[in-house]
Amino acid sequence: MNAFLLLFVIIVLLLVAELLAIAQLVQIAKMKGHYTDGAGVLWFIGICGTVIMVAIIVALLPDRGDRAPQPSEANALPEV
């Protein structure tokens, strides 16, 4: 009986960790300027698929939010 209880606790902890990871990735996607109206697609992919799939999608999103660093003149390449 103790083995089943331990297995149940481990499974619940893994599910909670997965949901927290999805929430963090959704927050990162919103910081990048995407999914500002809702991130149901990311939640669906994360819950029905894997968190790794959501992480790859979020990593490939370009920065287009207000927090994205803008290129400055100091960092520009010199003209030849």
Side-chain angles (χ1 to χ4, degrees), residues 34-63:
H34 297 273
Y35 301 104
T36 54
D37 296 334
V41 170
L42 291 178
W43 279 101
F44 179 77
I45 293 171
I47 292 172
C48 295
T50 64
V51 178
I52 296 171
M53 295 165 69
V54 178
I56 291 171
I57 291 170
V58 171
L60 292 176
L61 290 174
D63 291 336

Side-chain angles (χ1 to χ4, degrees), residues 12-35:
V12 168
L13 287 175
L14 289 174
L15 289 174
V16 168
E18 181 178 3
L19 292 176
L20 290 174
I22 295 170
Q24 282 292 95
L25 290 169
V26 167
Q27 183 180 4
I28 292 169
K30 287 182 179 181
M31 286 174 58
K32 286 186 163 192
H34 297 273
Y35 301 104

Side-chain angles (χ1 to χ4, degrees), residues 70-77:
Q70 301 297 327
S72 64
E73 293 297 322
N75 292 337
L77 294 173

